[in-house]
Amino acid sequence: MSEQRLTLLAVLIDRDERTHSEIVARFERCARDNDEDATLSVRTLRRWIAGDVQTAPRPSQRRVARLFWGYPMADLLAPAPAGLVPAPPTSGAVTAAPVGPTSPTPLAEPLTPTDEPGRSSDPLERQVAMATRRAARFATFAEIDNVGPETIAQLRDDVVHLANAYIHDPLASIMSDLLAEQEAVFQLLEGRQKPTLSRDLYLLAGVVSGLIAKASQDLGRFHEAMTHARTLYVCADNADHQGLRAWARGLQSLIAYWAGRPQEAVRYAQSGVEYAANVTGSVTSWLPALEARAWALMNSPDDANHALGRAADQRAAHRPDDLDAIGGLLAFPQAKQSYYAAGTYVYLDGEHDRAQAEALSALGLFEHGRPEDRSFSDEAGARAELALARVNAGHVDGAKEALAPVLELEPDRRIGGILTSATRVHQALRGRHHAQSPVARHLREEIEAFCRVPAAALPA
């Protein structure tokens, strides 16, 4: 029976006292110190160690590997020479930049008989030695934890901050942090951790993916938004978190709604309700509220009113859960529920007064409620629904007053939902009842000027 020899890299790393995560960190530091654009994950390192390389390492990775371990990549991935680990070759060595303190001294001492595969003359001893080495490698792999409770706690603090910053700050000011946080969590999930910590990481990865999905939607990138929302759902599934599954479906419903696909929005919202059967948080009110707006957009008053009733019932039974504890974009406070009700009634015939009442209620709650619940985009949305209700009721002056604070928003806050809501007011102002109104004409011009410079058009 033949035995496959370890790669040279496996031999070197076997003699290295650092964990795989520490080696990866030092490898990337070596890359930075030598101005190389090279990254490495724990998963990729383990594939290199095993010689299981299906995709050739990038040139920058090969250069850093030679600097870091002192051997060409081809030698590192090849079986270690029998009996002796050769000293690093001097010909062709990279000398353009110093290795610095991040590169370990390459090991060149000879392999002992117990180190070298297959040196024992006794078949049974050789098989035992093989099994022992395999068990040792597995134990090393299984015991490596690239994340601990403190790291999880820090990541959670970061995610809570971003979820709350999302509803208060311009998207441009947090987008790079969102992407960096997603990459950090994804890299940790590619490593090894205890199952309970994996569930925590998947929960955090799901939340961050949801935030990026919402950002994509706010920039008008609906296809990309759905891709990130699906990633959110996969993470929720791996975390086995019913609340996050429900929130994922709600976010997909929201994306479909603003993309102009209300029937799809209804299906996603109804799917989310199924996952929320045993959930007590505010997502249980959000899902039927999403459904109600979509039904109203399709001129289905009975379905819309029924959904609003279910949203109110869920609000009465609401008990905050872990998603509400994160807050920000993951919470659905009463102010936001009133805004959604306004967005429902404004599309139902004869319900303009109720739409105005709900919009005013939302604005009052945003202004006088908890500061952490005050979302600039939802407040702008409530103002746009109030303006639309007043236009439909023939009160153009009142619509202009309601929309004035929205039209004063800086370009970096002019995200997709706000622009769509303003455009709906513009469309209503083009009706024949307002064709000769100077106030309506001036308000249309203001809306057009407002929409010319959206947040999506600003430089990164």
Side-chain angles (χ1 to χ4, degrees):
M1 180 176 63
S2 62
E3 179 184 359
Q4 182 180 1
R5 290 212 307 271
L6 299 175
T7 61
L8 174 58
L9 182 59
V11 173
L12 294 174
I13 288 183
D14 185 58
R15 296 176 176 180
D16 195 321
E17 295 183 353
R18 293 171 297 188
T19 67
H20 288 188
S21 296
E22 290 171 332
I23 292 171
V24 165
R26 295 298 292 273
F27 180 95
E28 294 188 337
R29 180 179 167 188
C30 178
R32 292 192 300 271
D33 290 347
N34 289 278
D35 295 322
E36 290 283 4
D37 183 18
T39 59
L40 180 64
S41 68
V42 173
R43 178 179 294 179
T44 298
L45 175 64
R46 289 175 180 150
R47 287 175 177 165
W48 288 0
I49 291 170
D52 178 21
V53 180
Q54 299 176 357
T55 302
R58 296 190 301 274
S60 59
Q61 289 177 315
R62 295 198 297 269
R63 291 192 296 269
V64 176
R66 187 164 188 163
L67 287 168
F68 190 69
W69 285 292
Y71 296 92
M73 180 63 82
D75 290 353
L76 291 168
L77 300 181
L84 181 70
V85 178
T90 56
S91 60
V94 178
T95 57
V99 175
T102 61
S103 177
T105 302
L107 301 174
E109 66 271 27
L111 291 168
T112 66
T114 54
D115 290 330
E116 183 191 348
R119 283 293 297 271
S120 173
S121 59
D122 186 274
L124 288 177
E125 288 183 6
R126 186 166 66 248
Q127 291 175 31
V128 170
M130 287 171 54
T132 302
R133 284 194 298 273
R134 182 67 183 90
R137 291 200 302 274
F138 175 79
T140 300
F141 177 81
E143 288 182 356
I144 289 174
D145 285 339
N146 65 337
V147 62
E150 290 302 315
T151 302
I152 294 289
Q154 180 61 57
L155 289 170
R156 188 181 190 282
D157 286 347
D158 294 341
V159 169
V160 169
H161 168 74
L162 289 169
N164 284 270
Y166 197 99
I167 67 173
H168 302 303
D169 301 335
L171 182 55
S173 69
I174 63 170
M175 194 65 195
S176 60
D177 290 338
L178 280 174
L179 298 176
E181 191 71 12
Q182 184 189 55
E183 179 62 22
V185 180
F186 281 0
Q187 281 195 351
L188 288 172
L189 280 168
E190 289 174 347
R192 294 282 297 181
Q193 58 277 152
K194 294 179 174 64
T196 54
L197 297 182
S198 290
R199 285 193 291 272
D200 291 339
L201 283 175
Y202 274 116
L203 173 63
L204 297 175
V207 173
V208 175
S209 296
L211 296 177
I212 296 176
K214 183 63 167 66
S216 302
Q217 175 243 301
D218 283 335
L219 296 174
R221 310 287 293 186
F222 298 110
H223 175 74
E224 288 87 344
M226 277 297 186
T227 299
H228 288 291
R230 292 186 187 100
T231 301
L232 153 62
Y233 182 84
V234 169
C235 290
D237 215 33
N238 285 333
D240 195 21
H241 195 291
Q242 288 294 87
L244 194 62
R245 287 188 182 106
W247 189 69
R249 291 302 191 224
L251 191 57
Q252 289 174 308
S253 175
L254 183 70
I255 294 165
Y257 173 81
W258 288 115
R261 303 193 296 268
Q263 190 67 57
E264 184 180 333
V266 166
R267 287 198 301 270
Y268 277 123
Q270 291 176 339
S271 174
V273 169
E274 296 176 8
Y275 291 115
N278 296 314
V279 176
T280 65
S282 62
V283 68
T284 60
S285 299
W286 185 42
L287 291 163
L290 284 163
E291 186 183 339
R293 283 202 310 183
W295 282 124
L297 209 58
M298 294 186 290
N299 195 28
S300 184
D302 291 342
D303 291 316
N305 281 304
H306 180 62
L308 284 179
R310 285 187 283 116
D313 291 342
Q314 293 295 339
R315 174 64 59 185
H318 169 241
R319 296 197 310 276
D321 62 3
D322 53 346
L323 299 187
D324 289 320
I326 293 174
L329 196 63
L330 281 84
F332 189 67
Q334 179 61 60
K336 195 167 182 175
Q337 188 163 341
S338 296
Y339 155 48
Y340 274 49
T344 301
Y345 288 129
V346 78
Y347 286 102
L348 301 181
D349 292 340
E351 297 288 9
H352 307 316
D353 289 343
R354 294 179 74 177
Q356 290 187 62
E358 291 288 358
L360 289 169
S361 174
L363 292 172
L365 289 169
F366 278 130
E367 183 176 356
H368 302 295
R370 301 192 315 163
E372 55 267 34
D373 289 338
R374 191 168 188 175
S375 163
F376 79 87
S377 62
D378 292 331
E379 189 169 350
R383 287 191 169 279
E385 305 296 17
L386 177 60
L388 183 56
R390 287 176 174 175
V391 170
N392 291 338
H395 303 147
V396 179
D397 287 327
K400 180 179 176 64
E401 177 188 7
L403 203 60
V406 178
L407 300 179
E408 293 174 358
L409 289 173
E410 293 297 321
D412 60 2
R413 292 180 183 265
R414 297 176 191 176
I415 57 178
I418 295 175
L419 296 179
T420 300
S421 297
T423 300
R424 289 173 177 175
V425 178
H426 185 279
Q427 291 170 342
L429 289 167
R430 297 204 303 265
R432 58 185 178 85
H433 299 297
H434 311 296
Q436 305 303 318
S437 168
V439 177
R441 183 168 57 252
H442 180 67
L443 185 52
R444 288 197 303 268
E445 291 173 352
E446 285 188 290
I447 294 172
E448 289 171 9
F450 174 78
C451 293
R452 285 193 193 106
V453 189
L458 299 178

